[in-house]
Amino acid sequence: LCAGQEAPAAARMGRVIRAQRKGRGSVFKSHTHHRKGAAKLRSLDFAEREGYIKGVVADIIHDPGRGAPLARVQFRNPYKYRKAHETFIASEGMYTGQSIYCGKKAELVPGNVMPVGEMPPGTIICNVEHKPADRGSFARASGDFAQVINILENGKVRIRLPSGMKKTIHQKCRAQIGIVAGGGRIDKPLLKAGRAYHKYKVKRNCWPKVRGVAMNPVEHPHGGGNHQHIGHPSTTKRLSSPGQKVGLIAARRTGRLRGQKSFQKLKEG
């Protein structure tokens, strides 16, 4: 460049940072080759809406990249002469050969599936539907559970989610009774890098994670400087450009949650 000439835009541009490269495929694709399939409740049909249908737990299996075990449940197809196989999230206490009942008139027994409107307040549930017939959305991770708080008069049911947040759902939303199996998984520390390596190898490329302040300025907005420090507020706008969108994105508040009242208010939303 001659003196006084400005560099073209392409020459001034920094590197495409890690946050931009995620979600584009390449090395950040999810590792799904050995997964056992989506874990869902049965498709809602007449048998479940009006009565119940019986299934038998054929096998309890491990799903790579998932903390909770899965249960292969065998049902009779209500319309054709054949068996129907479903993959449920295993609830605690489920065993091979166990009979599972799904439907409005099923009993309140761990492992059974029924609408939340048919359950008494205080029932411990998991794999809860957000909308009727969506086949399970909430409380699906190992050791997770939700709880029925009370049944409202407008055809809704109030439940407490694993986060502590309270949510109102339709009374026809189904849920599995009991706690998701595999709880206590995080009680044992990983202790060494090798275990973390194998844990995340079956999930996706997200470990080890280099901190932004440990990078150079060209690789991250937090990089550079004579000491590892951010050097500016870590909050960023929702509409900031992808290369700047790191740190606390569109944060409503920052810092520690101080005081019980404010914490409960935040949880209840």
Side-chain angles (χ1 to χ4, degrees), residues 23-45:
R24 298 292 287 275
S26 182
V27 297
F28 294 109
K29 280 187 289 195
S30 185
H31 301 167
T32 56
H33 183 65
H34 294 290
R35 303 263 174 103
K36 300 295 187 285
K40 297 180 178 180
L41 302 175
R42 287 181 75 250
S43 287
L44 188 63
D45 57 3

Side-chain angles (χ1 to χ4, degrees), residues 191-205:
L191 286 177
K192 56 181 192 173
R195 286 183 189 154
Y197 167 80
H198 288 293
K199 175 185 174 178
Y200 292 107
K201 187 186 177 191
V202 289
K203 289 177 181 285
R204 68 203 71 81
N205 174 20

Side-chain angles (χ1 to χ4, degrees), residues 9-237:
R12 290 202 309 271
M13 205 165 68
R15 192 169 296 178
V16 178
I17 68 169
R18 182 178 59 193
Q20 291 172 276
R21 293 191 293 124
K22 285 193 174 187
R24 298 292 287 275
S26 182
V27 297
F28 294 109
K29 280 187 289 195
S30 185
H31 301 167
T32 56
H33 183 65
H34 294 290
R35 303 263 174 103
K36 300 295 187 285
K40 297 180 178 180
L41 302 175
R42 287 181 75 250
S43 287
L44 188 63
D45 57 3
F46 181 82
E48 279 204 47
R49 278 198 306 270
E50 302 300 327
Y52 66 86
I53 186 166
K54 179 187 170 186
V56 177
V57 178
D59 200 8
I60 306 284
I61 54 174
H62 169 68
D63 188 22
R66 186 195 293 266
L70 299 181
R72 295 265 199 222
V73 186
Q74 203 174 67
F75 292 91
R76 263 186 53 230
N77 190 306
Y79 305 108
K80 294 190 178 178
Y81 179 66
R82 62 185 181 198
K83 294 275 173 55
H85 298 271
E86 301 288 345
T87 306
F88 283 13
I89 293 172
S91 59
E92 210 163 83
M94 206 178 258
Y95 56 90
T96 310
Q98 180 184 353
S99 293
I100 298 288
Y101 295 90
C102 300
K104 183 183 175 182
K105 296 184 179 173
E107 289 185 3
L108 201 70
V109 174
N112 286 0
V113 177
M114 56 195 293
V116 289
E118 302 293 324
M119 299 176 189
T123 307
I124 300 294
I125 52 176
C126 62
N127 200 8
V128 190
E129 289 183 329
H130 184 199
K131 293 184 171 66
D134 74 7
R135 303 180 72 183
S137 297
F138 303 132
R140 293 163 55 92
S142 56
D144 268 5
F145 65 90
Q147 190 172 17
V148 178
I149 300 172
N150 58 349
I151 294 158
L152 308 174
E153 292 177 6
N154 57 354
K156 304 278 185 179
V157 176
R158 199 153 173 75
I159 61 168
R160 181 184 289 112
L161 297 177
S163 62
M165 185 179 144
K166 296 179 179 71
K167 192 163 188 69
T168 306
I169 59 173
H170 197 276
Q171 64 182 3
K172 289 186 178 177
C173 290
R174 297 170 295 167
Q176 203 169 328
I177 296 155
I179 300 173
V180 180
R185 176 170 53 86
I186 56 173
D187 293 348
K188 182 183 177 184
L190 290 173
L191 286 177
K192 56 181 192 173
R195 286 183 189 154
Y197 167 80
H198 288 293
K199 175 185 174 178
Y200 292 107
K201 187 186 177 191
V202 289
K203 289 177 181 285
R204 68 203 71 81
N205 174 20
C206 64
W207 185 92
K209 187 171 278 182
V210 179
R211 294 163 302 132
V213 290
M215 298 182 188
N216 293 317
V218 73
E219 292 152 349
H220 201 277
H222 297 172
N226 283 346
H227 299 282
Q228 286 190 2
H229 69 294
I230 298 174
H232 52 81
S234 58
T235 53
T236 55
K237 290 182 290 189

Side-chain angles (χ1 to χ4, degrees), residues 233-236 247-258 266:
S234 58
T235 53
T236 55
L248 304 171
I249 298 163
R252 290 195 177 93
R253 67 179 307 287
T254 59
R256 288 170 52 205
L257 290 170
R258 304 290 293 270
L266 200 73

